[in-house]
Amino acid sequence: MSVSEIPNAPSEPASRVPLSLNQEFLCIFDEGDDSGPFGPRYNIFYASRLRGKVHVDTLRAALHDVAERHEALRTLIVRDPEDRHQRILPSGPVELTLRDLSGVAPADRDRRAGELVNEIEAGSYSAREVPLLRAVLARFDDEDAVLVLIAHHTAADAWSMHVIMRDLAHSYAARRGRQVAALPEAPQYRDYTLWEQERASSPALDRAREYWREKLRGASILTLPTDHPRSAGLAKTTGWHRFTLGPELSAATRRTAKALRCSTFMVLFAANNILLNRITGVSDIVVPTFTTGRTQERFHTTVGSFFNFVPLRTDLTGCDSYQEAVRRTRATCLEAYSHDIPFAQIAAEAPELMAPAAADDRALFLFQVFQSPFGMAGEVVGDVEYAEVPRLVSQPVGGDIPDGSLCELNLTPSGEIIGTLGFNTNLWRADTMAEWMTEFDSVLRAVVTTPDAPLR
């Protein structure tokens, strides 16, 4: 996108900043149109149930406060191949849409809240107008509402959405005259971009590059067989299959993690490795995941696109038990975490790694686990209670995945693990995705109930 394509842009940029390495990574999937990560469907959502009287004018003002506080929400990416950069613009009002759900019976409100989020996610939202934040307030009655936040994924990641919700709740309460603690400083995403550039010459980065060069020597990213070849030319949308592991399996997973001295993510990722081994027959498994990209604590309150694509290589050859698979996965994760650098720098050390992703009849399968440090589960701020709306309803069309599929497991404040599997519908059928997640559930149960049992 050229500067001239930015609607209502001033003649001179408010600020001009180089792209972060994460933004450069997204440019790999840019086809110059609206179908990829710079299009109107590449969005991220956060929904909260609000208990208490919500004053619309105050909420509008608080949304504006958030857009002012976080530059990333008013930053557009100029995609000129000769001069890609971030363009930071002055903030305008955040679009707030009101919905009336007063006809919904109290017993049906939880279900309707989930359906509402799906309806909103199925929409498209301009990625060429700032702020890149929008909101929908749907009221069941004067004391019960759902607030859905929509942000473009180039401006915010999952961590950021929780930061935005926290800051919004704080600003709303302050504008209502309630006593709230001061928000911590929020460094800007441009600060992170400049820090990242300075770090590029660090000796520590040289050690990390050497690690990835050796770790990924001879490796190929694992891809899964698709139901439809790319060459079939089917229309691309992104479907979302949602599920829950249930309280018993969720608790057993946490207990197993504690017993094996590893994180919940490591147990879940080990189960994923075993599942992929069964689907493909491959034992030397290189599976991409996402880390938060926030290795510096000072950026924990920053809104931006930080997530980092990291290929984790685990060899299950000769692995004789589920427990051994977890141990090998744990070792892989600990090594990778201690050498976490942007994927662009990893890829430079393993130029052949991603070659299989270009196959006509195969595609990437990404796996991540997310737990926000800012989760709100019935937290009262000022005179409103905020509780995140769980996403449990599958949908045929939702927010875009640029290519392939992504399984995300969320560790909720209640302790239950809720799963979401997004997939490109031009590549896979919904029933294939559901079958894989049923098999994942079965593998995970075996891992946590019979850890010493043979892997096969």
Side-chain angles (χ1 to χ4, degrees):
M1 180 175 67
S2 66
V3 172
S4 62
E5 293 177 76
I6 302 175
N8 305 318
S11 57
E12 294 297 329
S15 183
R16 187 181 184 286
V17 181
L19 296 188
S20 69
L21 290 176
N22 178 275
Q23 292 167 332
E24 292 280 7
F25 169 69
L26 291 176
C27 287
I28 296 173
F29 303 97
D30 182 16
E31 298 181 0
D33 56 21
D34 285 344
S35 65
F38 302 100
R41 303 194 66 88
Y42 189 59
N43 302 298
I44 188 167
F45 303 81
Y46 183 95
S48 185
R49 192 75 169 268
L50 275 52
R51 309 279 188 176
K53 190 177 293 293
V54 178
H55 297 261
V56 173
D57 289 344
T58 306
L59 180 60
R60 289 186 197 277
L63 285 164
H64 182 74
D65 291 342
V66 172
E68 283 287 335
R69 175 172 163 85
H70 298 290
E71 283 181 352
L73 298 175
R74 42 193 171 85
T75 298
L76 298 180
I77 296 177
V78 178
R79 292 147 54 198
D80 182 344
E82 302 299 321
D83 184 27
R84 289 197 292 250
H85 61 273
Q86 300 179 66
R87 182 181 171 95
I88 303 169
L89 301 173
S91 180
V94 175
E95 179 183 318
L96 174 61
T97 303
L98 304 180
R99 296 278 297 271
D100 181 7
L101 299 180
S102 59
V104 180
D108 297 329
R109 290 179 179 180
D110 287 347
R111 173 189 56 78
R112 184 68 186 95
E115 292 173 347
L116 171 72
V117 184
N118 281 6
E119 292 167 12
I120 294 169
E121 183 175 337
S124 60
Y125 307 89
S126 174
R128 299 182 177 183
E129 298 176 0
V130 295
L132 295 173
L133 175 68
R134 295 169 175 82
V136 176
L137 179 69
R139 286 171 156 165
F140 293 118
D141 59 40
D142 289 343
E143 298 285 335
D144 187 2
V146 178
L147 178 65
V148 185
L149 301 177
I150 308 119
H152 199 266
H153 215 338
T154 57
D157 52 18
W159 183 301
S160 297
M161 297 305 287
H162 289 257
V163 172
I164 291 170
M165 188 68 249
R166 182 206 62 181
D167 290 1
L168 178 62
H170 178 281
S171 180
Y172 178 85
R175 283 184 171 274
R176 291 288 300 153
R178 307 298 186 244
Q179 291 293 322
V180 287
L183 285 173
E185 179 187 359
Q188 300 302 328
Y189 189 66
R190 71 162 97 183
D191 299 330
Y192 169 76
T193 301
L194 298 175
W195 169 82
E196 188 178 57
Q197 288 186 331
E198 293 172 0
R199 184 188 181 222
S201 59
S202 165
L205 217 59
D206 291 338
R207 292 191 292 272
R209 289 192 184 101
E210 181 181 359
Y211 164 78
W212 288 110
R213 185 165 56 250
E214 294 304 316
K215 183 67 176 181
L216 298 177
R217 189 180 301 278
S220 295
I221 204 78
L222 186 73
T223 56
L224 295 188
T226 59
D227 294 320
H228 313 291
R230 299 175 192 275
S231 57
L234 300 179
K236 178 201 165 190
T237 60
T238 299
W240 294 88
H241 171 74
R242 295 191 171 93
F243 57 97
T244 176
L245 298 184
E248 292 184 4
L249 182 54
S250 298
T253 301
R254 295 194 305 275
R255 288 195 300 271
T256 298
K258 184 176 181 179
L260 297 180
R261 299 177 58 246
C262 58
S263 68
T264 304
F265 168 80
M266 294 171 186
V267 175
L268 294 168
F269 197 73
N272 181 66
N273 280 338
I274 296 167
L275 171 66
L276 299 183
N277 170 253
R278 292 183 178 180
I279 292 174
T280 65
V282 174
S283 296
D284 187 1
I285 299 172
V286 184
V287 183
T289 188
F290 289 113
T291 62
T292 65
R294 298 171 189 258
T295 54
Q296 291 286 300
E297 186 176 354
R298 66 189 174 108
F299 294 118
H300 284 187
T301 56
T302 300
V303 168
S305 185
F306 283 85
F307 63 87
N308 189 36
F309 183 94
V310 178
L312 298 181
R313 185 179 190 178
T314 309
D315 192 350
L316 298 183
T317 303
C319 195
D320 58 3
S321 70
Y322 293 109
Q323 184 170 260
E324 178 60 24
V326 176
R327 289 198 177 102
R328 293 190 189 187
T329 300
R330 177 182 184 273
T332 292
C333 292
L334 291 177
E335 286 181 358
Y337 295 161
S338 64
H339 297 91
D340 190 12
I341 58 175
F343 178 69
Q345 296 169 334
I346 296 175
E349 304 303 324
E352 301 302 318
L353 176 70
M354 300 301 294
D360 187 44
D361 59 351
R362 302 185 73 86
L364 292 176
F365 182 90
L366 290 86
F367 185 92
Q368 71 172 350
V369 176
F370 181 75
Q371 182 176 22
S372 170
F374 306 112
M376 301 177 78
E379 181 179 345
V380 177
V381 184
D383 52 1
V384 177
E385 178 185 283
Y386 299 82
E388 185 173 355
V389 175
R391 305 292 303 279
L392 298 173
V393 181
S394 298
Q395 62 189 111
V397 179
D400 187 43
I401 292 175
D403 188 74
S405 57
L406 167 64
C407 181
E408 178 178 286
L409 298 175
N410 285 279
L411 309 183
T412 66
S414 68
E416 190 165 351
I417 301 173
I418 295 176
T420 300
L421 176 58
F423 59 97
N424 291 160
T425 57
N426 62 317
L427 301 178
W428 286 290
R429 299 188 307 267
D431 59 346
T432 298
M433 299 290 103
E435 289 171 8
W436 284 353
M437 290 303 95
T438 298
E439 181 65 12
F440 174 80
D441 186 287
S442 176
V443 170
L444 181 61
R445 288 181 187 277
V447 169
V448 302
T449 58
T450 57
D452 295 322
L455 201 56
R456 295 190 178 277

